Amino acid sequence: MSDTGLPAAIEALRRVREDPHRLGHRAHGAEAPVEGAGHGATGPANKRIVVGYGFWIFLLSDIVMFSCFFAAFAVQRDATAGGPGPRDIVELPRVALETGALLLSSYTCGLSFAATNARNKLWTQIFLLITGLLGLAFVGLELQEFISLASRGITPQRSGFLTSFFGLVGLHGLHVTVAGMWLATMMAQVQLKGFRREIIHRLICFNLFWHALDIVWIGIFTIVYLMGSGA
Amino acid sequence: MSELEYDPRLYTGALNHREDHAPGDEPEESAGHWVRNSNLGLGFSIVLTAASFWAVGSHLIYGPAIPVALIVLAIAQMGVHLVFFLHVTTGPDNTNNVLALAFGVLVVFLIVAGSIWIMNHLTHNMMPVEQLMQMQPF
């Protein structure tokens, strides 16, 4: 920062006037730049920041892909071709159970990261295990739903509406399944390798992924199921 | 010499309060802070989810307004998730995260609203299916 010898108050005034929202500065004013903070003065940011931010960008692109499936569903919603419509395939009690399982799993996932920050291996593993079991329950409920629909002859090839329905809900279910495999891998890595730096980076990314899946599910249970059952 | 040996701070992975951080990550290391955030997020989410399921079943809300209420509740719950589970804030250390999120939301909006808009116009202007069938050379 500047070393003009101005009184601190005037220096602070100048800073506020030049950059009222502190976009280019730290919250704590004129101090030596932090190494690895990625503000230009000291080279690239820490690996932990770069990894987390890169995964955030991937998640946003994943959500853009989901938005394409949402758009297809919105467009194909009335294209039932004389077959079953949204009202015929929605079972609200099952959707409520699925929503509860996924929300609780998001919660236990957050708790597992709290335990990770406290470097407590036992509780990290316990909460990750609960998260995984809740995710498994979610996938099981969804499979059961698909099987019961298929047994009534309601399959993706029946109409444009059903194609978009199975595409959107199935894509989310596939994501949860893959995330469950990732979770099992992470549990093994935490057990065998401990809280090494790169393991913590992976746990951060896994947490982000799991929470993002819950955010997508909010869109699905609102737009596909609740709005399908009512309107 | 490996990276770990000359910088123990990197080894612990602890973040400095004055550097940027990615979503889902904060300099705060105390478990209580994370647990409190999770509890708040779960509490708000349960209230909003229950409100959504209630709105569908109840007859207290004017029928055509129910989808609007559902969408408002869903957006509110996504906000709760972003703040309490993903730890996205408005602080200066979060500028990059928020900007990326804003761009993502813009793209999602363009894809969804644009598709609905264009396809509705297409359906509207298309010849009725019966006439279309008659024009096919059999």
Side-chain angles (χ1 to χ4, degrees):
Chain A
M1 295 289 160
S2 80
D3 47 358
T4 49
L6 288 172
I10 296 178
E11 171 64 23
L13 257 178
R14 183 188 66 77
R15 265 212 313 275
V16 169
R17 202 169 293 147
E18 283 178 4
D19 184 12
H21 302 295
R22 294 182 172 282
L23 287 179
H25 299 274
R26 295 298 83 204
H28 304 280
E31 287 175 71
V34 180
E35 196 184 334
H39 296 133
T42 53
N46 277 338
K47 195 85 180 270
R48 177 162 171 166
I49 302 170
V50 173
V51 168
Y53 187 68
F55 199 77
W56 180 231
I57 300 293
F58 158 71
L59 277 183
L60 289 169
S61 73
D62 208 31
I63 285 173
V64 166
M65 181 177 74
F66 269 111
S67 82
C68 297
F69 280 74
F70 271 110
F73 179 81
V75 167
Q76 296 287 320
R77 199 164 174 276
D78 300 319
T80 52
R87 207 192 285 259
D88 306 315
I89 60 174
V90 172
E91 288 171 62
L92 277 188
R94 194 204 308 273
V95 178
L97 267 181
E98 285 176 304
T99 307
L102 210 57
L103 179 59
L104 268 182
S105 79
S106 219
Y107 174 66
T108 54
C109 192
L111 291 185
S112 87
F113 195 59
T116 303
N117 268 313
R119 299 294 184 271
N120 188 323
K121 196 188 259 185
L122 178 66
W123 281 107
T124 303
Q125 295 287 43
I126 290 176
F127 281 125
L128 281 179
L129 182 67
I130 299 175
T131 307
L133 291 178
L134 286 168
L136 201 65
F138 174 86
V139 175
L141 280 167
E142 199 165 277
L143 272 180
Q144 198 196 1
E145 178 191 15
F146 282 6
I147 291 170
S148 94
L149 286 178
S151 71
R152 287 157 53 198
I154 302 176
T155 48
Q157 62 267 39
R158 177 64 187 82
S159 66
F161 159 69
L162 286 171
T163 306
S164 64
F165 167 80
F166 281 105
L168 175 58
V169 179
L171 181 70
H172 180 265
L174 193 66
H175 270 74
V176 178
T177 310
V178 172
M181 292 176 195
W182 186 6
L183 186 147
T185 316
M186 283 321 301
M187 284 183 70
Q189 292 193 346
V190 166
Q191 197 57 41
L192 296 176
K193 300 181 177 179
F195 291 122
R196 274 169 21 192
R197 190 156 56 103
E198 65 272 24
I199 304 295
I200 288 178
H201 294 171
R202 288 170 202 167
L203 283 173
I204 290 174
C205 293
F206 171 74
N207 269 269
L208 279 175
F209 193 62
W210 198 268
H211 292 316
L213 289 184
D214 202 14
I215 290 181
V216 172
W217 180 251
I218 296 171
I220 292 182
F221 86 71
T222 300
I223 291 171
V224 177
Y225 289 106
L226 292 185
M227 285 167 73
S229 77
Chain B
M1 191 165 73
S2 85
E3 202 182 356
L4 299 181
E5 286 164 46
Y6 64 83
D7 194 351
R9 190 174 65 85
L10 284 181
Y11 179 71
T12 63
L15 286 174
N16 189 297
H17 274 273
R18 289 168 53 221
E19 61 190 350
D20 287 354
H21 48 83
D25 196 15
E26 272 186 301
E28 195 71 58
E29 290 286 322
S30 84
H33 164 85
W34 293 89
V35 173
R36 197 178 61 241
N37 259 318
S38 298
N39 288 339
L40 282 172
L42 179 70
F44 284 127
S45 297
I46 288 178
V47 170
L48 289 168
T49 306
S52 293
F53 279 87
W54 172 83
V56 170
S58 88
H59 300 286
L60 285 176
I61 303 176
Y62 173 58
I66 289 179
V68 182
L70 288 177
I71 287 178
V72 169
L73 286 167
I75 292 175
Q77 199 178 337
M78 286 175 186
V80 166
H81 274 63
L82 283 174
V83 170
F84 293 106
F85 288 152
L86 293 180
H87 300 266
V88 172
T89 67
T90 52
D93 50 3
N94 250 288
T95 317
N96 288 335
N97 307 340
V98 174
L99 278 177
L101 177 67
F103 180 66
V105 170
L106 172 74
V107 175
V108 167
F109 173 77
L110 286 178
I111 290 175
V112 174
S115 300
I116 294 174
W117 185 38
I118 291 172
M119 294 309 287
N120 267 343
H121 274 256
L122 266 180
T123 316
H124 197 72
N125 294 328
M126 203 169 73
M127 193 182 290
V129 180
E130 295 77 38
Q131 287 182 36
L132 206 65
M133 296 298 261
Q134 285 166 12
M135 287 177 67
Q136 307 252 336
F138 285 111

